[in-house]
Amino acid sequence: MRVLLTEGSSTSARQAITALALAGHEVAYCDPARICLGRFSRLVVRRYRCPPLGTDPEGFRHFLHETLSRERFDVLLPIHEQGYLVARLADELRPRVAFAVPAFESYERVLTKLGFRGLLTELGLQQPPTHLLDDPRSLAQHAAYPFVVKAALGTASRSTWLIRCEADRDRAAAELAHVATPGEPILVQAWVSAPLEQAQAVFQEGRLVGFHATRRLVEGAGGGAALKEGVHRPNVASDLAKIGSHLSWHGALSVDYFTDDRGERPLYIDGNPRLVEPMAASLAGLNLADLLVRVSAGHSIAHGRMGRPGVRTRLALQVLLGAALRGARRRNLVASLLQFVGRPGPFAQAREELTPVRLDPLSVLPVVGAALMLLARPACAGAMVRQGWGAHLLTPEAMRHIRDLA
């Protein structure tokens, strides 16, 4: 099928390009940036420049209408926060293209930190101790370090702060004054020292049809996983099935959670109404991106499937950025690079998610560029991470505009 991704900048979009091409689909994407991760792929058949969702949601809306009216696509796949707009405009877009998103109200409950907290409470699913503050200035009275502060909206580690000391707390309060939505409470959550896992799933009309879970073994940039391993988590699948049934979910859904060593007591901390880096599941035998396309096209999925546990995957870009952010010197960065070419180490036997060099040689260029920049100046890692929080993502102002669309 001909598939249009709603952006090409994120690691999730880049991995979806690979997964969809492996399934035999023709992949195109739109993005406000001329140069992005998706640009470095021979698997993409067409690229479109589009208005930025974050500052011009109305322009992005018109772009979708014009492009889908002018050219034929079988499936529109909202690979990141553009799904918020697609869910809002579902009735007017559906005559032009197939897609799988839940009702707008359900989408918003999972997307926002506040809505997800309420959903977990409603369904009796466990989460770390959490309370709400009406005013960011109230953080000055909170000193139970460490703890986590979250604005109502924030993905890719945006608008989330780990507070270890008074200086962290004061910096978070100052930044919240600029990003928090006026009148909307912020969340203060107890820190949990436990393994972090992520699960992602695909639903068809409220029924779970695909599921894969991974454990983070090595932390990368922004809390992401540089090295992960597939795990068997039927209890988490059951919890996700409960969420999907409750919300009549249609499409993709992912959750992050802390758990014990055996994975038996998950504490859910975040939800995303989308796929998140789907190549780990593909390499474990379950192509969730392809499954999402088939659900979008209306194909009936008879049985639910799970990815194989035990498969280790890595992201070279996350490895380098994570090491640099933790203060690694140049020789340590070189050692990390050598592990990707067969040297012993934790990453040596893992399969690469983001840069499938043999299939798509161009995919390695962003990693090579990042490696050269980090070797020249390791301190630039923070700025490189922030560049990923680009104009293709939602902002509180864009959310308000989309909610008010007629």
Side-chain angles (χ1 to χ4, degrees), residues 4-7 29-32 48-68 76 78 81-86 89 93 391-392 401-402:
L4 176 63
L5 299 178
T6 53
E7 54 96 1
Y29 73 80
C30 59
D31 199 279
Y48 300 87
R49 292 288 299 278
C50 64
L53 176 72
T55 56
D56 188 10
E58 192 64 43
F60 189 78
R61 175 191 193 179
H62 290 312
F63 164 83
L64 287 178
H65 278 292
E66 292 174 4
T67 303
L68 296 172
L76 175 68
E81 296 172 345
Q82 305 80 25
Y84 189 69
L85 179 66
V86 174
L89 304 177
L93 290 175
H392 60 287
H401 179 90
I402 292 168

Side-chain angles (χ1 to χ4, degrees), residues 169-239:
R169 184 191 66 193
D170 294 343
R171 182 169 57 252
E175 294 177 6
L176 271 165
H178 298 290
V179 302
T181 302
E184 202 161 51
I186 60 173
L187 285 72
V188 176
Q189 196 166 72
W191 172 251
V192 177
S193 182
L196 179 68
E197 296 185 357
Q198 181 185 78
Q200 49 188 317
V202 173
F203 290 83
Q204 187 168 49
E205 303 294 349
R207 182 173 60 91
L208 182 68
V209 296
F211 173 87
H212 185 63
T214 56
R215 170 168 288 196
R216 185 183 69 185
L217 302 180
V218 175
E219 184 176 351
L227 178 68
K228 65 186 76 163
E229 182 175 72
V231 288
H232 182 58
R233 295 291 180 259
N235 55 334
V236 176
S238 177
D239 288 345

Side-chain angles (χ1 to χ4, degrees), residues 114-135:
L114 193 61
F116 189 64
R117 172 187 180 269
L119 177 64
L120 294 174
T121 302
E122 189 175 313
L123 294 178
L125 301 179
Q126 296 300 306
Q127 57 188 307
T130 305
H131 65 274
L132 305 180
L133 297 179
D134 292 327
D135 189 337

Side-chain angles (χ1 to χ4, degrees), residues 85-102:
L85 179 66
V86 174
R88 185 69 180 86
L89 304 177
D91 289 341
E92 63 184 65
L93 290 175
R94 204 163 269 126
R96 293 178 169 84
V97 69
F99 50 86
V101 295

Side-chain angles (χ1 to χ4, degrees), residues 184-299:
E184 202 161 51
I186 60 173
L187 285 72
V188 176
Q189 196 166 72
W191 172 251
V192 177
S193 182
L196 179 68
E197 296 185 357
Q198 181 185 78
Q200 49 188 317
V202 173
F203 290 83
Q204 187 168 49
E205 303 294 349
R207 182 173 60 91
L208 182 68
V209 296
F211 173 87
H212 185 63
T214 56
R215 170 168 288 196
R216 185 183 69 185
L217 302 180
V218 175
E219 184 176 351
L227 178 68
K228 65 186 76 163
E229 182 175 72
V231 288
H232 182 58
R233 295 291 180 259
N235 55 334
V236 176
S238 177
D239 288 345
L240 273 176
K242 184 184 294 186
I243 293 173
S245 176
H246 181 71
L247 297 177
S248 299
W249 199 267
H250 189 61
L253 175 64
S254 304
V255 293
D256 296 339
Y257 55 96
F258 290 111
T259 185
D260 57 15
D261 288 336
R262 296 167 60 182
E264 292 182 349
R265 292 187 294 275
L267 293 174
Y268 297 99
I269 60 170
D270 202 10
N272 285 297
R274 58 184 179 89
L275 293 179
V276 178
E277 297 176 350
M279 274 305 295
S282 292
L283 294 170
L286 178 60
N287 193 329
L288 288 172
D290 174 55
L291 187 60
L292 181 57
V293 165
R294 290 191 283 131
V295 167
S296 301
H299 297 181

